[in-house]
Amino acid sequence: ANFIQNFQGNTMQISTAINESVLHICDVLDTKVDFADSIEGEIYGSSIPVYEKTEEGEKEIQFFLYFKKEVLKDAADKLLQSSYTEDDLDDLSRELANQIIGYAKNLLNNASAHNPYSLGVPEFLGVVEHFHIEFIESKIYKINGNVLKIGYRIAWQKKN
């Protein structure tokens, strides 16, 4: 509970929904979570869009998830029943993006009277060496000593 209470979100705001979703997935994986200051090393990236449709208009909120390779390996050890390859880590990064952001989308819809959010298809971005995207907001989580960065931006928006 302190983890969420210590978070300073500005926008059930998107940031709160993401935090609760990260807590949820870490509970499922039986891992500890906290905040971190930086992300370094071999990083795998995924992105996934969430579409918001309201009376005012519609927009695409694009989420980016950057996983330190060890986060994916830990998740693979807990989720996959057999051995895995590097290609499986690609799939796992997409699936974790789908699970984390999908859960956050459900929280946002539950907090709204009109269920304005829908989830798009996750995309694997490959090994990420540079972080050129400017986010509205991003947080770095420490999961069992390894890191995951989640950020989002508005990809497009149109008013009615």
Side-chain angles (χ1 to χ4, degrees):
N2 287 343
F3 177 71
I4 291 175
Q5 290 170 354
N6 289 337
F7 183 77
Q8 298 298 313
N10 64 356
T11 52
M12 183 148 291
Q13 311 294 336
I14 290 174
S15 54
T16 302
I18 292 170
N19 267 348
E20 290 190 23
S21 185
V22 170
L23 279 175
H24 171 74
I25 197 75
C26 287
D27 189 46
V28 168
L29 295 173
D30 194 29
T31 59
K32 295 180 181 178
V33 63
D34 204 344
F35 288 118
D37 295 324
S38 63
I39 183 168
E40 300 170 351
E42 192 170 358
I43 309 298
Y44 284 65
S46 290
S47 68
I48 187 167
V50 171
Y51 303 98
E52 180 183 15
K53 194 170 193 174
T54 64
E55 291 179 4
E56 293 83 38
E58 50 190 290
K59 64 183 167 186
E60 177 186 326
I61 307 164
Q62 191 172 27
F63 290 87
F64 294 85
L65 295 87
Y66 301 111
F67 301 92
K68 189 163 182 183
K69 186 177 183 178
E70 287 77 9
V71 170
L72 294 174
K73 289 169 93 174
D74 286 349
D77 289 340
K78 293 185 181 195
L79 296 174
L80 302 177
Q81 299 299 320
S82 59
S83 62
Y84 54 89
T85 66
E86 291 289 316
D87 289 338
D88 293 325
L89 296 181
D90 299 359
D91 291 338
L92 189 56
S93 74
R94 282 192 297 266
E95 183 55 29
L96 285 175
N98 193 47
Q99 292 295 319
I100 292 169
I101 303 305
Y103 190 86
K105 179 221 40 129
N106 289 340
L107 292 173
L108 290 166
N109 277 336
N110 290 343
S112 169
H114 302 15
N115 292 334
Y117 299 97
S118 62
L119 192 63
V121 177
E123 178 182 345
F124 179 63
L125 303 176
V127 175
V128 178
E129 295 180 12
H130 304 287
F131 301 97
H132 296 296
I133 298 167
E134 288 194 32
F135 297 118
I136 292 172
E137 187 170 16
S138 67
K139 286 289 174 200
I140 302 172
Y141 302 92
K142 186 188 294 185
I143 300 172
N144 272 4
N146 294 304
V147 289
L148 158 65
K149 180 176 182 174
I150 302 176
Y152 66 93
R153 68 177 185 183
I154 305 302
W156 57 262
Q157 187 169 350
K158 67 179 182 182
K159 304 279 185 193
N160 287 342

